[in-house]
Amino acid sequence: MARKIWEFLMASAALTAIVGATFTPDIHQLQRAKKRQAESCSPLELVVARGTGEPGNPTYGIIVGDPLFNATSFLIPALTGYAVNYPANLDCDSRSLGSTDILNHLATQTSTCPSQKFVLVGYSQGADVVHLATSQLDPSYYPAIDAIVVFGDPGNRGLGAFDPLGTAEPPFPAALSNRVKENCAFNDPVCTNNGTDVGAHLSYNNPGTTFINDSAHYIESQFQSGGDTGPDFTDDAAPGNQTLANLGALESLASLLGQISVTGVQSCPSTSTPASTATGSFTTTATPTGSFVSITTSPVGTAVSSMPSYR
C-alpha cells in the first residue's frame, strides 16, 4: 500500500512539473523578447506615400521615396522606412485609403516602439495623403512627428486649395506647421497655379537638383533638434495665380498617366465651398456622369476648362 501511495505522489509531482513547465511563463524569456523588440525599434522612421502611378520599386518610390531614404540613411544610419500601402491611382478613395493606412501604422508602431520618431513624406498624390492623414491625426501623436516633407504638393497652391480631383486640401495642423518642408519645383503644374511644365513635376531627383539632399539634411536637423528647427520653404516655388495654361498642363499630365479624356470624368465629391482666387474662382459643374472642376478666370470675359482627374 505504501508503495502505491509513493508511486501516486511521484506521478502527481511529475504531472505538476509538466503543467508548470507548460503554463508558467518564463520571466527571463519574456524579458529577452522585450529586449529584442526594443532593439528592433529604430530611432526614426520615414513613412513614405508615393505619387500617382509612381513605381514603388525597389521600396518607397522611384522619383522621391527611395532616393530620399538613401540620402537620409547616409546621415542617420539607423533609419528605417515604411511604404504607405495604398493604390496611388485615380480612384476617388485612393487618398482616403492612404490616410487610413498612415493612421493605422502610426497607432501600431507607437504602441510597439513608444520612443520612435517619424517623418511623414509625400510626393504628389502622396502629399495629398499626408495632408489628409495629419488633419485626422489625434494631437497625442504630434510629439512623435519630427518632420513633414512633401514634394509637388497640391496643397502648396494656397489656403483652401483644391486638388485636381476637386477635393478640398486640408492644411497641416497648426501645431505641426513648423515642422514642414515644402519642395515645389519652378513651373510644376501640380504645386503651383501657373506652372506649365509637366517635366518639372517629375524632376525632384533629376541630376543637378537639390531637393532630395536638402530634404535629407532637413530631416537630420529636425531629428537632432527634436522637431524644433522650424519650417523650410527654401525649395518652394511661389504658387502664383491660377491660369488656363496651368489647367492645360494638368490635362497633359493626366494623359501621360493614361487618362486620355478628362471631360466629364467623375471627380471626387467635395462638401466644401471652393475658395476664390485673385483671378477667378473654382466651381463644380454637374454632368450626367459626375462632375468636373472648372475655373472662371476673367472679370470681363470667361473661359471654362475642365480640371483633370489627377492629383
Side-chain angles (χ1 to χ4, degrees):
M1 183 64 163
R3 180 181 178 84
K4 289 185 177 181
I5 293 174
W6 173 254
E7 290 174 349
F8 174 76
L9 291 174
M10 290 297 99
S12 298
L15 180 61
T16 300
I18 293 172
V19 171
T22 304
F23 297 103
T24 301
D26 184 336
I27 300 300
H28 297 293
Q29 185 177 11
L30 291 177
Q31 289 175 339
R32 287 192 296 271
K34 294 184 75 172
K35 182 180 179 182
R36 284 195 301 271
Q37 184 184 71
E39 289 173 346
S40 69
C41 295
S42 71
L44 184 69
E45 181 182 77
L46 258 59
V47 178
V48 185
R50 60 194 172 93
T52 306
E54 181 187 12
N57 54 307
T59 307
Y60 307 107
I62 194 171
I63 296 175
V64 166
D66 285 299
L68 181 62
F69 180 85
N70 293 338
T72 308
S73 61
F74 180 79
L75 302 173
I76 308 171
L79 181 76
T80 56
Y82 174 77
V84 177
N85 183 19
Y86 85 114
N89 59 20
L90 300 174
D91 293 345
C92 283
D93 62 351
S94 179
R95 185 178 76 150
S96 61
L97 290 172
S99 171
T100 299
D101 189 65
I102 288 179
L103 297 175
N104 288 339
H105 177 72
L106 290 177
T108 301
Q109 199 67 13
T110 53
S111 175
T112 304
C113 303
S115 299
Q116 192 171 55
K117 301 296 184 180
F118 302 89
V119 175
L120 305 183
V121 178
Y123 165 53
S124 194
Q125 183 182 165
D128 260 357
V129 168
V130 172
H131 271 279
L132 184 59
T134 55
S135 73
Q136 299 172 334
L137 186 63
D138 189 280
S140 63
Y141 289 92
Y142 290 175
I145 309 299
D146 269 358
I148 297 170
V149 181
V150 284
F151 299 76
D153 172 21
N156 188 62
R157 288 158 104 52
L159 186 63
F162 277 61
D163 72 16
L165 273 177
T167 305
E169 191 78 71
F172 293 121
L176 295 177
S177 61
N178 65 336
R179 304 176 193 175
V180 175
K181 177 169 177 57
E182 283 274 5
N183 292 279
C184 179
F186 174 75
N187 218 17
D188 183 339
V190 174
C191 54
T192 68
N193 296 301
N194 54 11
T196 58
D197 183 4
V198 171
H201 189 61
L202 309 175
S203 71
Y204 290 97
N205 189 39
N206 281 3
T209 61
T210 62
F211 299 106
I212 296 298
N213 283 337
D214 288 352
S215 295
H217 283 285
Y218 178 75
I219 291 169
E220 180 193 31
S221 178
Q222 283 290 92
F223 175 61
Q224 291 178 345
S225 68
D228 290 335
T229 300
D232 185 347
F233 299 101
T234 56
D235 293 313
D236 182 21
N241 295 320
Q242 185 66 65
T243 66
L244 287 178
N246 172 258
L247 299 179
L250 287 172
E251 289 183 349
S252 297
L253 187 54
S255 297
L256 181 66
L257 292 169
Q259 183 180 332
I260 304 303
S261 174
V262 298
T263 304
V265 173
Q266 185 173 356
S267 70
C268 297
S270 175
T271 57
S272 302
T273 302
S276 61
T277 68
T279 56
S281 60
F282 287 103
T283 58
T284 302
T285 304
T287 70
T289 57
S291 63
F292 60 84
V293 177
S294 60
I295 181 169
T296 303
T297 59
S298 171
V300 294
T302 60
V304 178
S305 175
S306 62
M307 179 78 86
S309 297
Y310 168 79
R311 14 169 196 182

